[in-house]
Amino acid sequence: MDEKPQTTLTDGSPVTPDHREIDPRTGQQKAYVVLSSEERAKGFVRPVREAYRHLTCGTVTRMGRALAETYARQPNFYSGTFCVGCGNHFPVGDKEFGGQFVWAGTEEYVGT
Ligand SMILES: [Zn+2]
């Protein structure tokens, strides 16, 4: 029996070796990895939140459902995330470990 892949790209397609390439027009990666829909369906340990604020610049960035559910299923899945204000990626996680983002409307650090 084949084991289902644990991760896919946000559209459900297989992870590609070049997905981390940065699109120079947007500063964003070509694609982002998420937990597979089967994995996300196992349940969430945090609320599904779709917007976060970059503490450095104050800009709120929204993300798609698959990314939001991946954070809710496994809060430490990502080491960094994108800020639309800065046009770049910065670390997530606890403040003492250099995390720069909180969930919009909260003081809770993204990735914790
Ligand atoms: Zn920013």
Side-chain angles (χ1 to χ4, degrees):
M1 198 178 88
D2 288 324
E3 200 169 309
K4 289 235 177 195
Q6 299 276 305
T7 57
T8 66
L9 297 178
T10 50
D11 64 359
S13 66
V15 175
T16 54
D18 63 350
H19 74 273
R20 284 197 181 82
E21 276 178 22
I22 300 294
D23 181 339
R25 291 167 304 157
T26 63
Q28 291 191 275
Q29 290 181 188
K30 206 168 180 178
Y32 289 88
V33 173
V34 294
L35 289 169
S36 68
S37 54
E38 291 86 356
E39 189 61 31
R40 299 194 317 264
K42 291 176 184 172
F44 303 134
V45 299
R46 296 283 188 281
V48 178
R49 291 164 291 202
E50 296 184 324
Y52 50 77
R53 185 162 59 88
H54 189 204
L55 293 166
T56 311
C57 73
T59 302
V60 171
T61 299
R62 300 191 62 81
M63 63 184 154
R65 189 75 185 179
L67 285 158
E69 288 187 0
T70 297
Y71 272 113
R73 169 75 185 150
Q74 190 178 322
N76 65 354
F77 185 81
Y78 300 104
S79 58
T81 197
F82 188 75
C83 171
V84 291
C86 298
N88 211 338
H89 296 83
F90 300 98
V92 297
D94 274 317
K95 185 181 185 179
E96 55 265 41
F97 299 117
Q100 297 186 12
F101 295 90
V102 294
W103 294 112
T106 79
E107 298 299 317
E108 193 182 335
Y109 278 77
V110 173
T112 64

